[in-house]
Amino acid sequence: MAPGLVETTTQTTQKLPIEKWTRPEPTKKDLDWAPLATIDLSKFDEPGGKQELAKQLYDAVTRVGFWVVTNTGIDDERVLRQFSIGNTFFKEDLEEKRRFPCNFAEGEYFGYRENSRWIGDTGVKENVEMLNIHKDVPAWKDVGRHRVTEENWDEIRTFHRDLWEKVARKLFVLISIMLELPENYLADAHAYDETSDDHLRYMIYNVRSQEEWDKAQAYSKGGHTDFGSLTLLFSQHVAGLQIRTPEGEWKYVKPVSGGITCNAADTLSFLTNGFVKSTIHRVVTPPKDQINTPRLGLLYFSRPGDNTPMRTVPSPLLDRLGLIPEEHKDATRPVPTGTEYVRARVKDVHHKTVMDKREGTEFQYKGLAVKNYYD
């Protein structure tokens, strides 16, 4: 069978049991938490609700880059079920996990990312594993699916789409309003049914010793910005995520019960010529009372696709601010698509066996540039 294709043989084995996962206890350490805006999406469909939420979101999107959404209409039992599915996958043997690896040579991020890459010459490997699951759209019908994904596909794909419809789409509408664009402009540019590399991610930071954490972080602080347009992160209670605030300080992101932490990413910043902030963030050593707890993650990444040109959007607000370059007003001028940029970045960062130190460098692709590995 060709690599990456869905296996169609009938399985006679019993369905893989999904053990219920619950969030660990929050840290008791008094950490320096970042103050983030909270956007109540239950107000989205109220009269004038979208306009009011857009005003509330303005500072978070343009200055901070991170915020929290609540009352999304996605029940927490469904969220915990997805955590449980992800946790079940990471407990599978390596042979099963390796069946469908990410094709980093082509910049493709669907499938399993193994924690096999060395961190420079430290003698320490990365402790992160991921399983990235594509949208249920015709373009990806032949993408390989692991056993746990295949057996729970209807549940996963429904959750996948609901995250887009109930959260990502609404945030794109709010940002479009902010930019004085038609309400659906950015949602259409990231349309779920179009070909793009959106994915649901199960992720785990495996336990490592304090010494291993120290060696890894002495090599590189690991600060980065995300590749796509929007990232949605579900609370899992193990502290470690930090953002660099507008004042240049590193502060922790506090889990919010029933909330989703959101951040803008590079391609949305490119589409607004820097008006939307793609914030630097990193994961550091968990607090002492959580260092022996695996940090399980559940995330959704929205990325522009084949039909979205990476040029500044025709926003009246951006035009007044002088943020639309003259060459971007010419819609016939060739520019890379969202898919082209994201895949080039994925290949550059992940297609290697050793993580190199990149402080002070930047990644460039056809006129798009982003700094690498901030300290």
Side-chain angles (χ1 to χ4, degrees), residues 90-347:
F90 293 121
K91 290 182 177 180
E92 288 281 83
D93 59 52
L94 194 54
E95 182 181 9
E96 163 62 15
K97 290 191 280 192
R98 282 176 168 170
R99 281 203 304 135
F100 302 112
C102 299
N103 184 6
F104 289 140
E106 300 298 328
E108 296 175 6
Y109 218 158
F110 302 144
Y112 174 60
R113 175 183 160 190
E114 189 175 341
N115 54 338
S116 59
R117 193 168 57 168
W118 294 97
I119 301 174
D121 58 358
T122 63
V124 176
K125 284 186 176 181
E126 290 183 307
N127 63 333
V128 180
E129 293 178 78
M130 300 177 188
L131 176 61
N132 298 319
I133 300 175
H134 58 88
K135 302 185 288 189
D136 183 22
V137 295
W140 308 135
K141 63 181 176 64
D142 291 330
V143 173
R145 297 199 289 264
H146 292 83
R147 180 184 174 189
V148 73
T149 306
E150 187 67 34
E151 292 181 349
N152 298 279
W153 181 236
D154 283 347
E155 194 174 350
I156 292 169
R157 68 189 181 95
T158 302
F159 184 79
H160 203 299
R161 180 149 201 148
D162 280 354
L163 287 184
W164 156 258
E165 184 62 36
K166 295 176 182 292
V167 185
R169 181 188 67 82
K170 292 180 179 180
L171 290 173
F172 283 131
V173 167
L174 298 181
I175 298 170
S176 293
I177 291 171
M178 193 184 304
L179 294 167
E180 300 172 15
L181 290 164
E183 284 189 5
N184 290 323
Y185 189 96
L186 289 174
D188 289 345
H190 298 80
Y192 195 89
D193 292 317
E194 298 292 334
T195 303
S196 73
D197 286 353
D198 284 35
H199 57 273
L200 179 71
R201 176 177 295 174
Y202 305 129
M203 182 175 185
I204 192 166
Y205 284 82
N206 293 297
V207 172
R208 57 161 53 140
S209 68
Q210 183 68 60
E211 181 184 7
E212 289 171 325
W213 275 107
D214 290 345
K215 286 181 178 179
Q217 289 175 178
Y219 180 80
S220 175
K221 301 298 183 184
H224 66 278
T225 54
D226 288 346
F227 302 168
S229 289
L230 282 178
T231 303
L232 313 179
L233 169 68
F234 286 90
S235 295
Q236 45 69 48
H237 285 183
V238 179
L241 176 62
Q242 293 182 332
I243 66 169
R244 196 164 79 175
T245 67
E247 295 73 33
E249 301 174 311
W250 287 107
K251 294 198 174 187
Y252 286 89
V253 174
K254 190 172 186 176
V256 176
S257 180
I260 303 173
T261 301
C262 308
N263 64 277
D266 294 342
T267 51
L268 192 55
S269 185
F270 292 151
L271 289 170
T272 60
N273 198 19
F275 180 77
V276 171
K277 183 176 182 182
S278 181
T279 294
I280 306 159
H281 54 285
R282 66 185 184 183
V283 172
V284 298
T285 313
K288 294 291 187 184
D289 59 350
Q290 294 183 323
I291 196 168
N292 293 317
T293 303
R295 188 173 183 270
L296 188 66
L298 177 65
L299 306 93
Y300 182 86
F301 295 85
S302 180
R303 293 177 165 175
D306 293 354
N307 298 322
T308 306
M310 287 292 97
R311 66 167 63 92
T312 309
V313 297
S315 156
L317 174 62
L318 297 184
D319 199 18
R320 291 199 303 275
L321 294 173
L323 289 176
I324 304 181
E326 282 302 316
E327 61 269 24
H328 285 201
K329 295 178 182 180
D330 178 7
T332 65
R333 181 176 173 269
V335 293
T337 68
T339 299
E340 288 173 336
Y341 168 76
V342 168
R343 292 197 170 188
R345 180 97 184 275
V346 168
K347 181 177 179 179

Side-chain angles (χ1 to χ4, degrees), residues 67-98:
W67 63 94
V68 174
V69 296
T70 58
N71 296 318
T72 61
I74 297 175
D75 188 87
D76 197 50
E77 284 303 311
R78 292 181 67 194
V79 174
L80 290 174
R81 171 71 177 176
Q82 291 300 312
F83 272 112
S84 299
I85 291 171
N87 197 45
T88 298
F89 171 78
F90 293 121
K91 290 182 177 180
E92 288 281 83
D93 59 52
L94 194 54
E95 182 181 9
E96 163 62 15
K97 290 191 280 192
R98 282 176 168 170

